[in-house]
Structures are given as C-alpha cells and as structure tokens.
mmCIF file of all heavy atoms in Angstrom:
data_model
loop_
_atom_site.group_PDB
_atom_site.id
_atom_site.type_symbol
_atom_site.label_atom_id
_atom_site.label_comp_id
_atom_site.label_asym_id
_atom_site.label_seq_id
_atom_site.Cartn_x
_atom_site.Cartn_y
_atom_site.Cartn_z
ATOM 1 N N MET A 1 -0.206 36.732 -62.058
ATOM 2 C CA MET A 1 0.463 37.989 -61.535
ATOM 3 C C MET A 1 1.770 37.375 -60.780
ATOM 4 O O MET A 1 1.752 36.436 -60.093
ATOM 5 C CB MET A 1 -0.416 38.713 -60.595
ATOM 6 C CG MET A 1 0.363 39.813 -59.835
ATOM 7 S SD MET A 1 -0.636 40.691 -58.554
ATOM 8 C CE MET A 1 -2.059 41.093 -59.364
ATOM 9 N N GLY A 2 2.906 38.152 -61.080
ATOM 10 C CA GLY A 2 4.094 37.882 -60.350
ATOM 11 C C GLY A 2 4.237 38.609 -58.882
ATOM 12 O O GLY A 2 3.623 39.665 -58.826
ATOM 13 N N ALA A 3 4.785 37.968 -58.043
ATOM 14 C CA ALA A 3 4.996 38.640 -56.762
ATOM 15 C C ALA A 3 6.365 38.529 -56.482
ATOM 16 O O ALA A 3 6.953 37.350 -56.195
ATOM 17 C CB ALA A 3 4.118 37.976 -55.674
ATOM 18 N N LYS A 4 7.185 39.576 -56.287
ATOM 19 C CA LYS A 4 8.655 39.570 -56.040
ATOM 20 C C LYS A 4 8.851 40.301 -54.707
ATOM 21 O O LYS A 4 8.049 40.907 -54.172
ATOM 22 C CB LYS A 4 9.461 40.137 -57.168
ATOM 23 C CG LYS A 4 9.126 41.532 -57.471
ATOM 24 C CD LYS A 4 10.051 42.152 -58.527
ATOM 25 C CE LYS A 4 9.801 43.571 -58.738
ATOM 26 N NZ LYS A 4 10.773 44.054 -59.691
ATOM 27 N N SER A 5 10.079 40.236 -54.256
ATOM 28 C CA SER A 5 10.507 40.782 -53.037
ATOM 29 C C SER A 5 10.642 42.309 -53.128
ATOM 30 O O SER A 5 10.846 42.845 -54.302
ATOM 31 C CB SER A 5 11.780 40.281 -52.498
ATOM 32 O OG SER A 5 12.802 40.436 -53.419
ATOM 33 N N HIS A 6 10.312 42.946 -51.985
ATOM 34 C CA HIS A 6 10.586 44.459 -51.971
ATOM 35 C C HIS A 6 11.394 44.675 -50.696
ATOM 36 O O HIS A 6 11.324 44.037 -49.729
ATOM 37 C CB HIS A 6 9.268 45.116 -51.929
ATOM 38 C CG HIS A 6 8.544 45.177 -53.077
ATOM 39 N ND1 HIS A 6 7.915 43.976 -53.559
ATOM 40 C CD2 HIS A 6 8.310 46.047 -54.064
ATOM 41 C CE1 HIS A 6 7.412 44.347 -54.769
ATOM 42 N NE2 HIS A 6 7.559 45.500 -55.054
ATOM 43 N N LEU A 7 12.256 45.720 -50.746
ATOM 44 C CA LEU A 7 13.115 46.034 -49.638
ATOM 45 C C LEU A 7 12.554 47.318 -48.899
ATOM 46 O O LEU A 7 11.965 48.083 -49.525
ATOM 47 C CB LEU A 7 14.552 46.408 -50.224
ATOM 48 C CG LEU A 7 15.248 45.257 -50.834
ATOM 49 C CD1 LEU A 7 16.623 45.836 -51.495
ATOM 50 C CD2 LEU A 7 15.409 44.041 -50.029
ATOM 51 N N CYS A 8 12.878 47.360 -47.700
ATOM 52 C CA CYS A 8 12.375 48.549 -47.009
ATOM 53 C C CYS A 8 13.589 49.122 -46.081
ATOM 54 O O CYS A 8 14.614 48.390 -45.922
ATOM 55 C CB CYS A 8 11.212 48.256 -46.040
ATOM 56 S SG CYS A 8 11.585 47.108 -44.583
ATOM 57 N N GLN A 9 13.484 50.236 -45.587
ATOM 58 C CA GLN A 9 14.488 50.857 -44.719
ATOM 59 C C GLN A 9 14.721 49.972 -43.478
ATOM 60 O O GLN A 9 13.866 49.318 -42.858
ATOM 61 C CB GLN A 9 14.171 52.233 -44.262
ATOM 62 C CG GLN A 9 13.988 53.183 -45.436
ATOM 63 C CD GLN A 9 13.581 54.573 -44.834
ATOM 64 O OE1 GLN A 9 13.203 54.832 -43.814
ATOM 65 N NE2 GLN A 9 13.548 55.582 -45.682
ATOM 66 N N LYS A 10 15.976 49.954 -43.069
ATOM 67 C CA LYS A 10 16.341 49.063 -41.881
ATOM 68 C C LYS A 10 15.474 49.426 -40.664
ATOM 69 O O LYS A 10 15.139 48.585 -39.880
ATOM 70 C CB LYS A 10 17.817 49.336 -41.516
ATOM 71 C CG LYS A 10 18.697 48.747 -42.540
ATOM 72 C CD LYS A 10 18.892 47.291 -42.374
ATOM 73 C CE LYS A 10 20.020 46.669 -43.193
ATOM 74 N NZ LYS A 10 19.988 45.241 -43.295
ATOM 75 N N SER A 11 15.109 50.660 -40.561
ATOM 76 C CA SER A 11 14.349 51.120 -39.350
ATOM 77 C C SER A 11 12.916 50.542 -39.311
ATOM 78 O O SER A 11 12.165 50.582 -38.382
ATOM 79 C CB SER A 11 14.274 52.699 -39.303
ATOM 80 O OG SER A 11 13.647 53.150 -40.475
ATOM 81 N N HIS A 12 12.432 50.018 -40.523
ATOM 82 C CA HIS A 12 11.155 49.380 -40.572
ATOM 83 C C HIS A 12 11.068 47.909 -40.586
ATOM 84 O O HIS A 12 10.089 47.325 -40.534
ATOM 85 C CB HIS A 12 10.503 49.891 -41.836
ATOM 86 C CG HIS A 12 10.148 51.301 -41.880
ATOM 87 N ND1 HIS A 12 10.734 52.232 -42.779
ATOM 88 C CD2 HIS A 12 9.290 52.051 -41.184
ATOM 89 C CE1 HIS A 12 10.294 53.388 -42.596
ATOM 90 N NE2 HIS A 12 9.424 53.397 -41.573
ATOM 91 N N GLU A 13 12.306 47.352 -40.504
ATOM 92 C CA GLU A 13 12.405 45.877 -40.438
ATOM 93 C C GLU A 13 11.886 45.312 -39.181
ATOM 94 O O GLU A 13 12.085 45.946 -38.098
ATOM 95 C CB GLU A 13 13.910 45.411 -40.732
ATOM 96 C CG GLU A 13 14.303 45.673 -42.064
ATOM 97 C CD GLU A 13 15.836 45.169 -42.397
ATOM 98 O OE1 GLU A 13 16.444 44.677 -41.406
ATOM 99 O OE2 GLU A 13 16.222 45.284 -43.454
ATOM 100 N N GLY A 14 11.272 44.069 -39.245
ATOM 101 C CA GLY A 14 10.931 43.361 -38.002
ATOM 102 C C GLY A 14 9.541 43.913 -37.515
ATOM 103 O O GLY A 14 9.109 43.432 -36.407
ATOM 104 N N ARG A 15 8.735 44.657 -38.239
ATOM 105 C CA ARG A 15 7.522 45.152 -37.832
ATOM 106 C C ARG A 15 6.348 44.414 -38.491
ATOM 107 O O ARG A 15 5.176 44.616 -38.234
ATOM 108 C CB ARG A 15 7.339 46.664 -38.103
ATOM 109 C CG ARG A 15 8.327 47.553 -37.388
ATOM 110 C CD ARG A 15 8.041 48.987 -37.765
ATOM 111 N NE ARG A 15 8.970 49.829 -37.008
ATOM 112 C CZ ARG A 15 8.811 51.041 -37.155
ATOM 113 N NH1 ARG A 15 7.983 51.687 -37.806
ATOM 114 N NH2 ARG A 15 9.778 51.940 -36.514
ATOM 115 N N GLY A 16 6.699 43.516 -39.334
ATOM 116 C CA GLY A 16 5.583 42.668 -40.043
ATOM 117 C C GLY A 16 5.051 43.401 -41.220
ATOM 118 O O GLY A 16 3.967 43.065 -41.748
ATOM 119 N N ILE A 17 5.612 44.470 -41.694
ATOM 120 C CA ILE A 17 5.125 45.225 -42.829
ATOM 121 C C ILE A 17 5.042 44.455 -44.055
ATOM 122 O O ILE A 17 4.085 44.564 -44.825
ATOM 123 C CB ILE A 17 5.898 46.604 -42.981
ATOM 124 C CG1 ILE A 17 5.851 47.472 -41.720
ATOM 125 C CG2 ILE A 17 5.460 47.368 -44.199
ATOM 126 C CD1 ILE A 17 6.604 48.624 -41.706
ATOM 127 N N ALA A 18 6.113 43.740 -44.376
ATOM 128 C CA ALA A 18 6.148 42.978 -45.543
ATOM 129 C C ALA A 18 4.984 41.922 -45.543
ATOM 130 O O ALA A 18 4.292 41.683 -46.577
ATOM 131 C CB ALA A 18 7.494 42.198 -45.718
ATOM 132 N N LYS A 19 4.760 41.295 -44.384
ATOM 133 C CA LYS A 19 3.648 40.347 -44.302
ATOM 134 C C LYS A 19 2.257 40.981 -44.469
ATOM 135 O O LYS A 19 1.470 40.444 -45.084
ATOM 136 C CB LYS A 19 3.763 39.629 -42.974
ATOM 137 C CG LYS A 19 2.675 38.582 -42.656
ATOM 138 C CD LYS A 19 3.272 37.236 -42.946
ATOM 139 C CE LYS A 19 2.123 36.247 -42.743
ATOM 140 N NZ LYS A 19 2.357 35.183 -41.801
ATOM 141 N N MET A 20 2.131 42.182 -43.917
ATOM 142 C CA MET A 20 0.808 42.835 -44.141
ATOM 143 C C MET A 20 0.608 43.217 -45.564
ATOM 144 O O MET A 20 -0.408 42.980 -46.069
ATOM 145 C CB MET A 20 0.798 44.147 -43.261
ATOM 146 C CG MET A 20 0.690 43.864 -41.785
ATOM 147 S SD MET A 20 0.450 45.425 -40.746
ATOM 148 C CE MET A 20 1.953 46.268 -41.151
ATOM 149 N N LEU A 21 1.537 43.753 -46.248
ATOM 150 C CA LEU A 21 1.521 44.120 -47.629
ATOM 151 C C LEU A 21 1.212 42.840 -48.556
ATOM 152 O O LEU A 21 0.355 42.838 -49.346
ATOM 153 C CB LEU A 21 2.763 44.775 -48.143
ATOM 154 C CG LEU A 21 2.944 46.201 -47.596
ATOM 155 C CD1 LEU A 21 4.422 46.680 -48.030
ATOM 156 C CD2 LEU A 21 1.905 47.111 -48.087
ATOM 157 N N LEU A 22 1.946 41.716 -48.248
ATOM 158 C CA LEU A 22 1.691 40.557 -49.056
ATOM 159 C C LEU A 22 0.331 39.933 -48.807
ATOM 160 O O LEU A 22 -0.294 39.454 -49.738
ATOM 161 C CB LEU A 22 2.827 39.524 -48.614
ATOM 162 C CG LEU A 22 2.843 38.147 -49.367
ATOM 163 C CD1 LEU A 22 2.739 38.351 -50.825
ATOM 164 C CD2 LEU A 22 3.871 37.291 -48.947
ATOM 165 N N ASN A 23 -0.160 40.024 -47.458
ATOM 166 C CA ASN A 23 -1.488 39.415 -47.181
ATOM 167 C C ASN A 23 -2.502 40.299 -48.040
ATOM 168 O O ASN A 23 -3.497 39.707 -48.484
ATOM 169 C CB ASN A 23 -1.749 39.432 -45.733
ATOM 170 C CG ASN A 23 -0.935 38.368 -44.936
ATOM 171 O OD1 ASN A 23 -0.641 37.405 -45.563
ATOM 172 N ND2 ASN A 23 -0.893 38.548 -43.731
ATOM 173 N N GLU A 24 -2.369 41.573 -48.018
ATOM 174 C CA GLU A 24 -3.354 42.458 -48.776
ATOM 175 C C GLU A 24 -3.311 42.028 -50.247
ATOM 176 O O GLU A 24 -4.347 41.858 -50.882
ATOM 177 C CB GLU A 24 -2.941 43.837 -48.658
ATOM 178 C CG GLU A 24 -3.411 44.497 -47.350
ATOM 179 C CD GLU A 24 -4.923 44.500 -47.075
ATOM 180 O OE1 GLU A 24 -5.628 44.790 -48.062
ATOM 181 O OE2 GLU A 24 -5.377 44.040 -46.095
ATOM 182 N N LEU A 25 -2.121 41.892 -50.811
ATOM 183 C CA LEU A 25 -1.998 41.471 -52.226
ATOM 184 C C LEU A 25 -2.563 40.066 -52.555
ATOM 185 O O LEU A 25 -3.396 40.013 -53.447
ATOM 186 C CB LEU A 25 -0.457 41.381 -52.629
ATOM 187 C CG LEU A 25 -0.295 40.757 -53.984
ATOM 188 C CD1 LEU A 25 -0.342 41.859 -55.033
ATOM 189 C CD2 LEU A 25 1.065 40.019 -54.123
ATOM 190 N N LEU A 26 -2.304 39.154 -51.681
ATOM 191 C CA LEU A 26 -2.895 37.824 -51.824
ATOM 192 C C LEU A 26 -4.472 37.800 -51.605
ATOM 193 O O LEU A 26 -5.161 37.142 -52.306
ATOM 194 C CB LEU A 26 -2.273 36.826 -50.840
ATOM 195 C CG LEU A 26 -0.764 36.705 -51.098
ATOM 196 C CD1 LEU A 26 -0.048 35.740 -50.118
ATOM 197 C CD2 LEU A 26 -0.523 36.053 -52.513
ATOM 198 N N ASP A 27 -4.945 38.536 -50.624
ATOM 199 C CA ASP A 27 -6.422 38.655 -50.326
ATOM 200 C C ASP A 27 -7.007 39.261 -51.561
ATOM 201 O O ASP A 27 -8.162 38.729 -52.131
ATOM 202 C CB ASP A 27 -6.744 39.358 -49.120
ATOM 203 C CG ASP A 27 -6.378 38.670 -47.766
ATOM 204 O OD1 ASP A 27 -6.196 37.427 -47.867
ATOM 205 O OD2 ASP A 27 -6.130 39.355 -46.829
ATOM 206 N N ASN A 28 -6.536 40.287 -52.160
ATOM 207 C CA ASN A 28 -7.151 40.876 -53.282
ATOM 208 C C ASN A 28 -7.035 40.068 -54.524
ATOM 209 O O ASN A 28 -7.971 39.996 -55.371
ATOM 210 C CB ASN A 28 -6.434 42.312 -53.609
ATOM 211 C CG ASN A 28 -6.839 43.374 -52.719
ATOM 212 O OD1 ASN A 28 -8.033 43.493 -52.388
ATOM 213 N ND2 ASN A 28 -5.978 44.135 -52.196
ATOM 214 N N ALA A 29 -5.912 39.350 -54.816
ATOM 215 C CA ALA A 29 -5.736 38.479 -55.797
ATOM 216 C C ALA A 29 -6.933 37.365 -55.755
ATOM 217 O O ALA A 29 -7.533 36.969 -56.708
ATOM 218 C CB ALA A 29 -4.391 37.795 -55.870
ATOM 219 N N ARG A 30 -7.117 36.850 -54.525
ATOM 220 C CA ARG A 30 -8.162 35.814 -54.393
ATOM 221 C C ARG A 30 -9.538 36.371 -54.640
ATOM 222 O O ARG A 30 -10.346 35.725 -55.390
ATOM 223 C CB ARG A 30 -8.107 35.220 -52.913
ATOM 224 C CG ARG A 30 -9.131 34.174 -52.692
ATOM 225 C CD ARG A 30 -9.003 33.685 -51.237
ATOM 226 N NE ARG A 30 -7.980 32.718 -51.207
ATOM 227 C CZ ARG A 30 -7.164 32.543 -50.049
ATOM 228 N NH1 ARG A 30 -7.408 33.278 -49.028
ATOM 229 N NH2 ARG A 30 -6.221 31.604 -50.025
ATOM 230 N N LYS A 31 -9.829 37.499 -54.231
ATOM 231 C CA LYS A 31 -11.126 38.185 -54.599
ATOM 232 C C LYS A 31 -11.319 38.337 -56.011
ATOM 233 O O LYS A 31 -12.430 38.188 -56.598
ATOM 234 C CB LYS A 31 -11.282 39.514 -53.899
ATOM 235 C CG LYS A 31 -11.481 39.407 -52.330
ATOM 236 C CD LYS A 31 -11.453 40.744 -51.818
ATOM 237 C CE LYS A 31 -11.351 40.752 -50.309
ATOM 238 N NZ LYS A 31 -11.209 42.068 -49.798
ATOM 239 N N GLN A 32 -10.285 38.485 -56.789
ATOM 240 C CA GLN A 32 -10.288 38.778 -58.222
ATOM 241 C C GLN A 32 -10.108 37.641 -59.037
ATOM 242 O O GLN A 32 -10.136 37.592 -60.277
ATOM 243 C CB GLN A 32 -9.309 39.961 -58.613
ATOM 244 C CG GLN A 32 -9.719 41.242 -58.031
ATOM 245 C CD GLN A 32 -8.776 42.362 -58.367
ATOM 246 O OE1 GLN A 32 -8.279 42.337 -59.555
ATOM 247 N NE2 GLN A 32 -8.273 43.075 -57.458
ATOM 248 N N GLY A 33 -9.801 36.466 -58.359
ATOM 249 C CA GLY A 33 -9.568 35.153 -59.101
ATOM 250 C C GLY A 33 -8.165 35.106 -59.882
ATOM 251 O O GLY A 33 -8.070 34.496 -60.813
ATOM 252 N N ILE A 34 -7.278 35.869 -59.364
ATOM 253 C CA ILE A 34 -5.976 35.926 -60.009
ATOM 254 C C ILE A 34 -5.022 34.985 -59.408
ATOM 255 O O ILE A 34 -4.815 34.969 -58.112
ATOM 256 C CB ILE A 34 -5.346 37.386 -59.847
ATOM 257 C CG1 ILE A 34 -6.301 38.342 -60.602
ATOM 258 C CG2 ILE A 34 -3.932 37.454 -60.487
ATOM 259 C CD1 ILE A 34 -5.985 39.846 -60.347
ATOM 260 N N LYS A 35 -4.182 34.166 -60.186
ATOM 261 C CA LYS A 35 -3.246 33.349 -59.619
ATOM 262 C C LYS A 35 -1.855 34.090 -59.430
ATOM 263 O O LYS A 35 -1.677 35.118 -60.133
ATOM 264 C CB LYS A 35 -2.955 32.164 -60.677
ATOM 265 C CG LYS A 35 -4.121 31.201 -60.829
ATOM 266 C CD LYS A 35 -4.396 30.475 -59.574
ATOM 267 C CE LYS A 35 -5.522 29.505 -59.806
ATOM 268 N NZ LYS A 35 -5.867 28.723 -58.576
ATOM 269 N N ILE A 36 -1.053 33.674 -58.575
ATOM 270 C CA ILE A 36 0.169 34.388 -58.208
ATOM 271 C C ILE A 36 1.354 33.482 -58.604
ATOM 272 O O ILE A 36 1.374 32.251 -58.239
ATOM 273 C CB ILE A 36 0.245 34.727 -56.662
ATOM 274 C CG1 ILE A 36 -0.880 35.594 -56.285
ATOM 275 C CG2 ILE A 36 1.533 35.242 -56.299
ATOM 276 C CD1 ILE A 36 -0.957 37.041 -56.859
ATOM 277 N N ILE A 37 2.411 33.982 -59.218
ATOM 278 C CA ILE A 37 3.587 33.315 -59.461
ATOM 279 C C ILE A 37 4.653 33.951 -58.478
ATOM 280 O O ILE A 37 5.147 35.024 -58.743
ATOM 281 C CB ILE A 37 3.978 33.473 -60.893
ATOM 282 C CG1 ILE A 37 3.013 32.946 -61.788
ATOM 283 C CG2 ILE A 37 5.328 32.814 -61.133
ATOM 284 C CD1 ILE A 37 3.155 33.369 -63.268
ATOM 285 N N PRO A 38 5.016 33.253 -57.331
ATOM 286 C CA PRO A 38 5.994 33.759 -56.547
ATOM 287 C C PRO A 38 7.328 33.746 -57.132
ATOM 288 O O PRO A 38 7.765 32.648 -57.507
ATOM 289 C CB PRO A 38 5.785 32.969 -55.210
ATOM 290 C CG PRO A 38 5.359 31.646 -55.720
ATOM 291 C CD PRO A 38 4.392 31.968 -56.921
ATOM 292 N N THR A 39 7.985 34.831 -57.226
ATOM 293 C CA THR A 39 9.364 34.867 -57.701
ATOM 294 C C THR A 39 10.348 35.248 -56.571
ATOM 295 O O THR A 39 11.485 35.590 -56.867
ATOM 296 C CB THR A 39 9.541 35.925 -58.928
ATOM 297 O OG1 THR A 39 9.164 37.238 -58.294
ATOM 298 C CG2 THR A 39 8.671 35.598 -60.036
ATOM 299 N N CYS A 40 9.933 35.092 -55.418
ATOM 300 C CA CYS A 40 10.659 35.408 -54.188
ATOM 301 C C CYS A 40 10.516 34.287 -53.171
ATOM 302 O O CYS A 40 9.295 33.786 -53.059
ATOM 303 C CB CYS A 40 10.281 36.635 -53.581
ATOM 304 S SG CYS A 40 10.803 37.019 -51.819
ATOM 305 N N SER A 41 11.478 33.785 -52.559
ATOM 306 C CA SER A 41 11.335 32.698 -51.610
ATOM 307 C C SER A 41 10.472 33.072 -50.453
ATOM 308 O O SER A 41 9.646 32.148 -49.952
ATOM 309 C CB SER A 41 12.662 32.140 -51.074
ATOM 310 O OG SER A 41 13.378 33.211 -50.396
ATOM 311 N N TYR A 42 10.445 34.194 -49.989
ATOM 312 C CA TYR A 42 9.511 34.636 -48.832
ATOM 313 C C TYR A 42 8.144 34.631 -49.278
ATOM 314 O O TYR A 42 7.247 34.047 -48.605
ATOM 315 C CB TYR A 42 9.874 36.125 -48.453
ATOM 316 C CG TYR A 42 8.970 36.671 -47.407
ATOM 317 C CD1 TYR A 42 9.063 36.202 -46.032
ATOM 318 C CD2 TYR A 42 8.047 37.574 -47.718
ATOM 319 C CE1 TYR A 42 8.164 36.667 -45.111
ATOM 320 C CE2 TYR A 42 7.061 38.017 -46.732
ATOM 321 C CZ TYR A 42 7.199 37.680 -45.464
ATOM 322 O OH TYR A 42 6.347 38.096 -44.392
ATOM 323 N N VAL A 43 7.725 35.014 -50.487
ATOM 324 C CA VAL A 43 6.406 34.990 -51.049
ATOM 325 C C VAL A 43 5.967 33.555 -51.118
ATOM 326 O O VAL A 43 4.843 33.258 -50.677
ATOM 327 C CB VAL A 43 6.277 35.791 -52.369
ATOM 328 C CG1 VAL A 43 4.896 35.597 -52.971
ATOM 329 C CG2 VAL A 43 6.656 37.154 -52.159
ATOM 330 N N ALA A 44 6.682 32.709 -51.641
ATOM 331 C CA ALA A 44 6.455 31.211 -51.816
ATOM 332 C C ALA A 44 6.186 30.704 -50.430
ATOM 333 O O ALA A 44 5.258 29.954 -50.302
ATOM 334 C CB ALA A 44 7.563 30.566 -52.485
ATOM 335 N N LYS A 45 7.090 30.894 -49.480
ATOM 336 C CA LYS A 45 6.847 30.282 -48.120
ATOM 337 C C LYS A 45 5.666 30.828 -47.480
ATOM 338 O O LYS A 45 4.910 30.054 -46.871
ATOM 339 C CB LYS A 45 8.117 30.848 -47.203
ATOM 340 C CG LYS A 45 8.054 30.359 -45.850
ATOM 341 C CD LYS A 45 9.410 30.738 -45.069
ATOM 342 C CE LYS A 45 8.873 31.426 -43.839
ATOM 343 N NZ LYS A 45 9.902 32.111 -43.084
ATOM 344 N N VAL A 46 5.359 32.097 -47.553
ATOM 345 C CA VAL A 46 4.075 32.633 -46.965
ATOM 346 C C VAL A 46 2.848 31.919 -47.581
ATOM 347 O O VAL A 46 1.855 31.561 -46.941
ATOM 348 C CB VAL A 46 3.997 34.193 -47.078
ATOM 349 C CG1 VAL A 46 2.600 34.667 -46.661
ATOM 350 C CG2 VAL A 46 5.035 34.725 -46.129
ATOM 351 N N MET A 47 2.861 31.839 -48.891
ATOM 352 C CA MET A 47 1.725 31.258 -49.647
ATOM 353 C C MET A 47 1.504 29.827 -49.275
ATOM 354 O O MET A 47 0.315 29.436 -49.100
ATOM 355 C CB MET A 47 1.937 31.383 -51.276
ATOM 356 C CG MET A 47 1.918 32.885 -51.619
ATOM 357 S SD MET A 47 2.016 33.024 -53.418
ATOM 358 C CE MET A 47 0.395 32.319 -53.943
ATOM 359 N N LYS A 48 2.574 29.110 -49.109
ATOM 360 C CA LYS A 48 2.386 27.728 -48.737
ATOM 361 C C LYS A 48 2.049 27.448 -47.236
ATOM 362 O O LYS A 48 1.277 26.597 -46.920
ATOM 363 C CB LYS A 48 3.600 26.925 -48.985
ATOM 364 C CG LYS A 48 3.896 26.746 -50.433
ATOM 365 C CD LYS A 48 5.194 26.001 -50.765
ATOM 366 C CE LYS A 48 5.480 25.989 -52.205
ATOM 367 N NZ LYS A 48 6.726 25.380 -52.557
ATOM 368 N N ASN A 49 2.503 28.325 -46.311
ATOM 369 C CA ASN A 49 2.301 28.209 -44.950
ATOM 370 C C ASN A 49 0.992 28.902 -44.400
ATOM 371 O O ASN A 49 0.533 28.595 -43.368
ATOM 372 C CB ASN A 49 3.380 28.736 -44.193
ATOM 373 C CG ASN A 49 4.688 27.828 -44.247
ATOM 374 O OD1 ASN A 49 4.605 26.660 -44.772
ATOM 375 N ND2 ASN A 49 5.859 28.422 -44.125
ATOM 376 N N ASP A 50 0.463 29.877 -45.179
ATOM 377 C CA ASP A 50 -0.530 30.613 -44.684
ATOM 378 C C ASP A 50 -1.901 30.476 -45.417
ATOM 379 O O ASP A 50 -2.712 31.425 -45.628
ATOM 380 C CB ASP A 50 -0.130 32.161 -44.671
ATOM 381 C CG ASP A 50 0.792 32.419 -43.613
ATOM 382 O OD1 ASP A 50 1.137 31.661 -42.804
ATOM 383 O OD2 ASP A 50 1.330 33.566 -43.503
ATOM 384 N N SER A 51 -2.099 29.289 -45.910
ATOM 385 C CA SER A 51 -3.372 28.965 -46.615
ATOM 386 C C SER A 51 -3.713 29.802 -47.923
ATOM 387 O O SER A 51 -4.766 30.134 -48.191
ATOM 388 C CB SER A 51 -4.496 29.231 -45.593
ATOM 389 O OG SER A 51 -4.464 28.310 -44.543
ATOM 390 N N TYR A 52 -2.559 30.084 -48.709
ATOM 391 C CA TYR A 52 -2.738 30.818 -49.914
ATOM 392 C C TYR A 52 -2.332 29.927 -51.065
ATOM 393 O O TYR A 52 -2.153 30.490 -52.220
ATOM 394 C CB TYR A 52 -1.870 32.094 -49.973
ATOM 395 C CG TYR A 52 -2.476 33.211 -49.139
ATOM 396 C CD1 TYR A 52 -1.817 33.622 -47.947
ATOM 397 C CD2 TYR A 52 -3.629 33.859 -49.385
ATOM 398 C CE1 TYR A 52 -2.184 34.627 -47.061
ATOM 399 C CE2 TYR A 52 -4.120 34.926 -48.722
ATOM 400 C CZ TYR A 52 -3.472 35.261 -47.467
ATOM 401 O OH TYR A 52 -3.921 36.370 -46.654
ATOM 402 N N ALA A 53 -2.250 28.648 -50.885
ATOM 403 C CA ALA A 53 -1.746 27.728 -51.820
ATOM 404 C C ALA A 53 -2.645 27.629 -53.108
ATOM 405 O O ALA A 53 -2.232 27.289 -54.150
ATOM 406 C CB ALA A 53 -1.466 26.360 -51.286
ATOM 407 N N ASP A 54 -3.935 27.974 -52.788
ATOM 408 C CA ASP A 54 -4.874 27.891 -53.965
ATOM 409 C C ASP A 54 -4.536 28.957 -54.933
ATOM 410 O O ASP A 54 -5.123 28.862 -56.040
ATOM 411 C CB ASP A 54 -6.335 28.100 -53.384
ATOM 412 C CG ASP A 54 -6.473 29.514 -52.652
ATOM 413 O OD1 ASP A 54 -5.778 29.722 -51.728
ATOM 414 O OD2 ASP A 54 -7.389 30.225 -53.118
ATOM 415 N N LEU A 55 -3.754 30.033 -54.629
ATOM 416 C CA LEU A 55 -3.460 31.026 -55.506
ATOM 417 C C LEU A 55 -2.174 30.713 -56.375
ATOM 418 O O LEU A 55 -1.965 31.474 -57.298
ATOM 419 C CB LEU A 55 -3.276 32.284 -54.806
ATOM 420 C CG LEU A 55 -4.360 32.766 -54.012
ATOM 421 C CD1 LEU A 55 -3.888 34.173 -53.266
ATOM 422 C CD2 LEU A 55 -5.570 33.158 -54.821
ATOM 423 N N LEU A 56 -1.582 29.573 -56.150
ATOM 424 C CA LEU A 56 -0.334 29.255 -56.919
ATOM 425 C C LEU A 56 -0.777 28.691 -58.334
ATOM 426 O O LEU A 56 -1.712 28.211 -58.488
ATOM 427 C CB LEU A 56 0.367 28.140 -56.097
ATOM 428 C CG LEU A 56 1.132 28.572 -54.945
ATOM 429 C CD1 LEU A 56 1.631 27.425 -54.149
ATOM 430 C CD2 LEU A 56 2.193 29.619 -55.225
#
C-alpha cells in the first residue's frame, strides 16, 4: 500500500492530526499484514522513528 502526504487547513496545523491519522493507517496495516510504501518524506520519517520499520 502506498502512503502519501495529505494537506489540511492552516487552522488545523500543529495539532498532531497528521500523526494520528498516519498511526491509525500504520496500525491497521500491521494488523492486516500489509506492507507500506512511503511516498512522502514525513511518512518515511515516522515509520523509521516510531517502530513501524517492519511495515516497509
């Protein structure tokens, strides 16, 4: 599965919403045994730094 970046309104920036959404995606992918192909530098960084490297 590919994981790319998504944009949100400026008023929602800095609240950790992207991280929450990404963590949900990665947790669900792990439960289903799906590998992730990060096509965004943020996704790749989170996956390497937050113990999701097994999904790469």
